[in-house]
Amino acid sequence: MLRHMHRSGFQPFSQRLLPWAVQSIAVPRSNHVQPSAIRHVRSWSNIPFITVPLSRAHGKPFAHRSELKHAKRIVVKLGSAVVTRGDECGLALGRLASIVEQVSVLQNQGREMMLVTSGAVAFGKQRLRHEILLSQSVRQALHSGQNHLKEMAVPVLEARACAAAGQSGLMALYEAMFTQYSICAAQILVTNLDFHDEQKRRNLNGTLHELLRMNIVPIVNTNDAVVPPAEPNSDLQGVNVISVKDNDSLAARLAVEMKTDLLIVLSDVEGLFDSPPGSDDAKLIDIFYPGDQQSVTFGTKSRVGLGGMEAKVKAALWALQGGTSVVIANGTHPKVSGHVITDIVEGKKVGTFFSEVKPAGPTVEQQGEMARSGGRMLATLEPEQRAEIINHLADLLTDQREEILLANKKDMEEAEGRLASPLLKRLSLSTSKLNSLAIGLRQIAASSQESVGRILRRTRIAKNLELEQVTVPIGVLLVIFESRPDCLPQVAALAIASGNGLLLKGGKEAAHSNRILHLLTQEALSIHGVKEAIQLVNTREEVEDLCRLDKIIDLIIPRGSSQLVRDIQKAAKGIPVMGHSEGICHMYVDSEASVDKVTRLVRDSKCEYPAACNALETLLIHRDLLRTPLFDQIIDMLRVEQVKIHAGPKFASYLTFSPSEVKSLRTEYGDLEVCIEVVDSVQEAIDHIHKYGSSHTDVIVTENEKTAEFFLQHVDSACVFWNASTRFSDGYRFGLGAEVGISTSRIHARGPVGLEGLLTTKWLLRGQDHVVSDFSEHGSLKYLHENLPVPQRHFS
């Protein structure tokens, strides 16, 4: 059976009558491009676009998710639960349109897409039910009036009849949707015989290859109008003996037959769980390996369709054995269905990925569990024991400095020419840096004596009923940092002091340095048996994927560029993020500023370490200082230090020949560049800071105490200074020992976040058979709510 609708611009793709149904629609194209040129530039309806050449020798499946972006030929299987509505009568048109859009995007990138779709039965059921109701209503209207219409009942509809009635309509719908993206689609209906009969199998293979060659999307389905009843599940034992009994097995068979790179199976669950979804302790399996099925308990199949999750797993493993990578994911969730297919192809952590290659180390989920367990053990140690671990780590930083610097030298050599100058400075370690780190760690050790378990408040609720509020760790922290290997021991020491488990994700540019520093950290932790409390994530996990682990991670702390922080804040779903996206620090030079102080403060704030987040970025100067010796000294000093000056709009208006006018007053340069702007008053300076600043660190330079106090009280930033460099905004300089970062948020912690910012509280109530009913209107007890003195002790 062949129905071919030929239009101008296409050659007929087959002149043969085939033993299965093929139905196609061709969309007119202008500026037709020959298939051989499709890899480079295509024109669709006069819209040219460039595609990335994709090529891969088929053989072994991809080992890691990150490799899926190289998939050239992809099969997408749409389960019945994805295609049909909740009432199982009719199609979920919104989901279907979104899937077609994603498939079209990938097809237009130069990939070869194939669909295996359910839905014919549901579509036919809708049509037949409508026809039956219509004919019944007409007959009853003729014979007995309208009074009995409510009593009409629709008979049970036979599935094969529904499929026969729905197949043409389903294909017409796909045709209409793909037409919107100037893509041609062709329908192929198959049965088991088409794969087991050698001649039919060759014909099917040839037709599919011809369709793909001409950029047509084959839409494949079992011919449910003639398919026999499902047989017992006695196959799936070898590569060559899979039967087509449902669309899961069809998709697997098609994927292997066509040597596809990737099979995406969309269902109504997030993927494969270690126990039936919805049951207690059910966990999504990120990566599934052959042989793991013994550890999985399968539940019932979905509300519609022939195959349950067990059938999907067997089909997926069969396809994997045949050289095709497989991902099973949710195609029905309204928050993810609009990008689930493209996310999978981009290598994002969606659904369950089937792989033959087991990682050498634990998964990030396992690392998270180890960090939580280790963190709880860490929190139970005595304060002196936690301090001993930190002091030992400080000793290791100095004792093993040669190994650390050698590893850092490798990172620097590999980064040369690839990283910008500010990032190279952050990446570099030195003996002086390691010594400073060791001093900071010893400060943390000393301050950790009064951290975890500190009693903050005591209240006598009633006689023999006492309440305490005590400090406790937050839980598991995820710290993501780039280019800053010195961040690792700082954050590790703060996590140890606060009893928190820690996941560390460093940038690959500092891989050698991070590895040795983490080994030294674990060596220090080992002296009290809590080695696993701090984990370094070395897997290929993307940052966005880590930000989705809301059941493992309690707080995310990004350390890096403003773009990194913004990306994490955007990606984090349900996990708090502590940090600042930008460090746009201001210094306002008042009309009553001291000549001797200004140049020293500006030089230190801008030039001491311009890549730091607390470096000066915008210099605000009072209008009365223009064309004065003080102003000339500032400009001369900046020129000597080779600082590039950008003029703000008002400053530029005062100059005949101005420096380059600033593109934006909200810029973090991170280099020897600064913006200079003119203001008329301290209030205008404050207004400018509130409009263009990032609430990080802002400074006033003046000898007028009243003006300074006005500035200190009215600037709404995490750190506000008077006659001091912006560079003092730092945990070590504040006496915190170190910091996990600087927070500009307005809850929990603000400014440099040290030990205190990594603690939360819990309430302990000690009673003697107290019940709330005793405190009712007619009860025997009354609330006292007396504040009690807080002893200098820890709870155990």
Side-chain angles (χ1 to χ4, degrees), residues 714-729:
H714 286 79
V715 171
D716 187 14
S717 295
C719 300
V720 189
F721 301 160
W722 172 25
N723 288 348
S725 168
T726 60
R727 296 278 290 120
F728 277 105
S729 181

Side-chain angles (χ1 to χ4, degrees), residues 733-755:
R733 297 181 181 112
F734 276 16
L736 305 179
E739 65 185 29
V740 292
I742 295 179
S743 172
T744 55
S745 65
R746 300 177 187 277
I747 57 173
H748 183 63
R750 199 174 185 203
V753 180
L755 183 56

Side-chain angles (χ1 to χ4, degrees), residues 435-714:
N435 290 336
S436 295
L437 276 173
I439 294 170
L441 263 58
R442 292 189 180 98
Q443 286 183 348
I444 295 172
S447 63
S448 67
Q449 301 291 323
E450 297 293 331
S451 55
V452 181
R454 188 171 76 255
I455 300 171
L456 302 178
R457 181 186 304 175
R458 292 179 66 224
T459 304
R460 180 177 287 120
I461 304 298
K463 184 179 179 181
N464 296 323
L465 184 64
E466 292 188 5
L467 178 69
E468 286 182 352
Q469 184 185 21
V470 299
T471 57
V472 293
I474 288 175
V476 175
L477 313 176
L478 168 62
V479 177
I480 302 169
F481 57 101
E482 52 185 14
S483 302
R484 289 277 301 271
D486 56 324
C487 173
L488 194 153
Q490 286 181 338
V491 174
L494 288 169
I496 294 165
S498 57
N500 284 290
L502 179 61
L503 285 177
L504 292 159
K505 175 66 172 176
K508 59 184 178 182
E509 66 280 353
H512 299 294
S513 305
N514 289 338
R515 190 176 299 113
I516 181 65
L517 290 170
H518 178 247
L519 287 173
L520 295 177
T521 301
Q522 290 201 314
E523 182 179 334
L525 288 164
S526 298
I527 65 175
H528 287 296
V530 287
K531 177 181 177 181
E532 294 182 340
I534 296 179
Q535 300 284 325
L536 181 64
V537 179
N538 284 317
T539 61
R540 298 177 180 229
E541 245 72 26
E542 297 293 335
V543 168
E544 186 174 342
D545 294 328
L546 291 171
C547 292
R548 294 175 179 170
L549 301 176
D550 58 322
K551 291 182 175 60
I552 296 175
I553 296 163
D554 298 299
L555 178 66
I556 301 175
I557 304 173
R559 295 287 305 270
S561 67
S562 58
Q563 187 60 51
L564 171 73
V565 179
R566 282 194 296 268
D567 289 344
I568 291 171
Q569 290 172 335
K570 182 179 178 181
K573 305 297 182 184
I575 309 175
V577 178
M578 180 190 292
H580 65 281
S581 57
E582 292 172 306
I584 305 174
C585 302
H586 291 74
M587 179 178 287
Y588 166 57
V589 181
D590 185 54
S591 59
E592 297 181 67
S594 164
V595 174
D596 296 330
K597 294 176 183 177
V598 170
T599 52
R600 274 173 48 84
L601 292 173
V602 173
R603 178 188 289 109
D604 189 76
S605 297
K606 178 71 257 184
C607 308
E608 197 266 343
Y609 188 15
C613 66
N614 56 10
L616 174 66
E617 303 294 4
T618 299
L619 181 63
L620 301 176
I621 297 180
H622 194 283
R623 178 168 52 89
D624 293 347
L625 296 178
L626 291 177
R627 301 185 178 90
T628 66
L630 173 58
F631 177 76
D632 292 340
Q633 286 182 29
I634 295 172
I635 299 300
D636 290 343
M637 180 275 295
L638 292 174
R639 285 174 176 163
V640 169
E641 297 291 341
Q642 299 183 326
V643 177
K644 182 178 180 180
I645 298 173
H646 301 276
K650 285 186 68 175
F651 180 45
S653 68
Y654 285 97
L655 304 174
T656 306
F657 300 101
S658 69
S660 61
E661 189 166 341
V662 69
K663 295 179 181 178
S664 171
L665 290 168
R666 193 179 286 111
T667 302
E668 181 180 16
Y669 298 103
D671 208 342
L672 285 173
E673 299 181 58
V674 70
C675 170
I676 297 180
E677 182 58 311
V678 174
V679 293
D680 293 338
S681 65
V682 64
Q683 184 61 58
E684 188 176 333
I686 293 170
D687 293 341
H688 180 103
I689 290 168
H690 288 164
K691 185 173 182 179
Y692 299 109
S694 61
S695 301
H696 192 295
T697 301
D698 299 294
V699 174
I700 182 172
V701 184
T702 185
E703 295 305 300
N704 188 313
E705 183 177 354
K706 184 178 179 180
T707 302
E709 288 300 325
F710 183 85
F711 185 90
L712 294 174
Q713 298 303 320
H714 286 79

Side-chain angles (χ1 to χ4, degrees), residues 458-467 765-771 774-775 780-786 788:
R458 292 179 66 224
T459 304
R460 180 177 287 120
I461 304 298
K463 184 179 179 181
N464 296 323
L465 184 64
E466 292 188 5
L467 178 69
L765 184 63
R766 297 179 177 90
Q768 293 181 3
D769 194 30
H770 287 81
V771 294
D774 288 343
F775 295 85
S780 58
L781 295 176
K782 299 294 181 184
Y783 289 111
L784 298 176
H785 293 150
E786 296 176 0
L788 299 175

